[in-house]
Amino acid sequence: MKSTVIIPNYNGMQYLQNCIQSLLAANGDFSILIVDNGSTDGSQDFIRDNYPNIELICFTENTGFCHAVNVGVEKARTEYVILLNNDTQIDANFVTALETALEKHAKRFSVSAKMINMYQQDILDGAGDYYCALGWAFAYGKDMLVASHCTRERKIFSACGGAAIYRKAIWNQLGGLDENHFAYLEDCDLGYRAQIYGYQNYFTPDAIVYHAGSGASGSRYNTFKIRLSSRNNIFLLYKNMPLLQMILNSPFLFAGFFVKYLFFLKKGFGSLYLKGLWEGIQKRPREKKVVFQWKHLGNYCRIQFFLWVNIIKRFTTGR
């Protein structure tokens, strides 16, 4: 057994049965671990009563996605860990395809799956995550046609934590997910740190998962998500970019944040977005900042190149 599938759950009762059943019907030899974050919708009893052989960890309150995942990874006894959102259903070859892709090179830290819209199965939900010099994180290929987009394996900026495999040893070396994030952009932050240390993140089209989307927060744009995402973006930049790199990117970042502000202002969330940015500046986790080392200079240069290239990717299709 190479992998443990870790499912963080918070009030995901409406999705759990289909998610678990798809895992039980899948190919491969793997274990399943569900970490429940203080659900109040009967999720814990449902799992205990219907799936007694599935390992379950329960918290009395919502400790955040990051903490739940970190506890799950620590508990896992396998070489690889697979993170899977509760609002998903997997293809039969999902686990084996992720394992195969990860094992192609020892420097691969993570591999992201091909996420398809559960309700429009000809439409992509994402094919790995990218981050660009504008300070924007985005799911590559989102809303594109499944048949003609994201059909090849490729290097990505970071794996989407909703459906991805990771090497546990490297995960531990990097310190896992930053629990200051609570939720949102924590996977991008982890993928960024992996690149600084010379590891790679990939996407494979062979591991397919169907995703409902916003299963925990309830919608694509909401106050909880907007505030945390904007705050965490400041965390991500502060922690991973040396000062000179921040100065180099400052014109792009200013433009990107301004455009985002106008976007959320139009949706009625402008002040909330600014509040999140300010909270990020005030509460930036100084103890988590990656210390610059000259031996990683080449990695920083490669990351910077892709931060610029990814601006172009943001406005092109995911072919």
Side-chain angles (χ1 to χ4, degrees):
M1 187 180 296
K2 298 177 182 178
S3 301
T4 300
V5 178
I6 299 170
I7 306 173
N9 179 65
Y10 176 66
N11 290 340
M13 181 69 180
Q14 61 179 316
Y15 302 108
L16 274 176
Q17 183 171 8
N18 289 334
C19 178
I20 294 171
Q21 287 300 128
S22 70
L23 280 165
L24 295 178
N27 299 324
D29 184 17
F30 57 91
S31 62
I32 304 172
L33 171 61
I34 299 176
V35 185
D36 188 90
N37 240 334
S39 293
T40 57
D41 65 348
S43 292
Q44 297 179 12
D45 289 337
F46 172 78
I47 297 165
R48 290 192 189 99
D49 292 344
N50 293 279
Y51 303 101
N53 293 327
I54 291 180
E55 190 170 5
L56 175 64
I57 298 173
C58 295
F59 301 134
T60 57
E61 60 182 4
N62 188 352
T63 63
F65 177 87
C66 299
H67 177 257
V69 167
N70 282 342
V71 170
V73 172
E74 183 180 3
K75 185 74 171 178
R77 295 176 291 275
T78 51
E79 183 179 1
Y80 311 142
V81 291
I82 296 174
L83 304 189
L84 187 65
N85 278 3
N86 58 4
D87 59 341
T88 59
Q89 295 177 43
I90 68 166
D91 177 77
N93 294 320
F94 171 81
V95 172
T96 54
L98 285 177
E99 292 174 345
T100 299
L102 188 67
E103 291 172 344
K104 286 184 178 180
H105 198 286
K107 282 290 186 179
R108 292 193 180 186
F109 165 55
S110 69
V111 177
S112 195
K114 187 172 188 175
M115 302 183 78
I116 297 173
N117 188 312
M118 186 178 291
Y119 306 115
Q120 294 178 274
Q121 295 189 4
D122 60 335
I123 300 296
L124 279 168
D125 190 60
D129 288 347
Y130 285 80
Y131 191 73
C132 69
L134 295 171
W136 297 353
F138 56 96
Y140 195 58
K142 189 173 180 64
D143 297 329
M144 300 297 178
L145 291 174
V146 170
S148 56
H149 294 79
C150 302
T151 57
R152 301 188 305 273
E153 183 177 281
R154 59 154 54 88
K155 188 180 290 186
I156 56 176
F157 194 86
S158 64
C160 172
I165 190 170
Y166 302 83
R167 293 183 191 270
K168 183 178 176 181
I170 300 176
W171 176 290
N172 291 337
Q173 178 190 349
L174 297 172
L177 297 181
D178 181 359
E179 296 180 15
N180 289 295
H181 281 237
F182 191 84
Y184 303 116
L185 291 179
E186 73 291 324
D187 45 7
C188 189
D189 169 62
L190 182 63
Y192 200 138
R193 275 183 276 141
Q195 291 185 76
I196 291 173
Y197 284 87
Y199 299 113
Q200 303 166 351
N201 305 300
Y202 269 78
F203 157 76
T204 178
D206 299 326
I208 296 172
V209 59
Y210 300 92
H211 184 218
S214 301
S217 60
S219 64
R220 188 168 180 178
Y221 301 114
N222 57 73
T223 57
F224 176 77
K225 183 175 182 178
I226 292 168
R227 182 182 66 83
L228 283 187
S229 294
S230 55
R231 183 199 69 174
N232 292 348
N233 204 0
I234 298 296
F235 287 179
L236 186 154
L237 287 166
Y238 171 77
K239 288 160 47 185
N240 296 297
M241 277 193 185
L243 179 60
L244 287 178
Q245 192 177 18
M246 284 192 198
I247 294 172
L248 176 66
N249 287 301
S250 58
F252 298 98
L253 294 171
F254 179 82
F257 287 141
F258 183 68
V259 170
K260 279 279 190 179
Y261 167 70
L262 294 179
F263 173 82
F264 285 118
L265 182 65
K266 186 176 180 180
K267 291 186 172 293
F269 297 116
S271 60
L272 183 67
Y273 177 73
L274 292 179
K275 182 179 179 181
L277 292 179
W278 180 241
E279 184 179 343
I281 293 170
Q282 288 182 308
K283 298 182 178 181
R284 61 192 186 279
R286 293 176 175 83
E287 77 284 356
K288 294 286 187 176
K289 189 168 178 65
V290 177
V291 178
F292 175 81
Q293 299 180 59
W294 284 105
K295 66 180 180 180
H296 295 151
L297 179 61
N299 298 332
Y300 280 107
C301 291
R302 278 188 289 272
I303 291 169
Q304 183 58 52
F305 173 75
F306 286 111
L307 289 174
W308 285 330
V309 169
N310 290 345
I311 295 177
I312 300 172
K313 286 184 180 290
R314 175 61 182 82
F315 299 102
T316 58
T317 62
R319 291 187 185 277

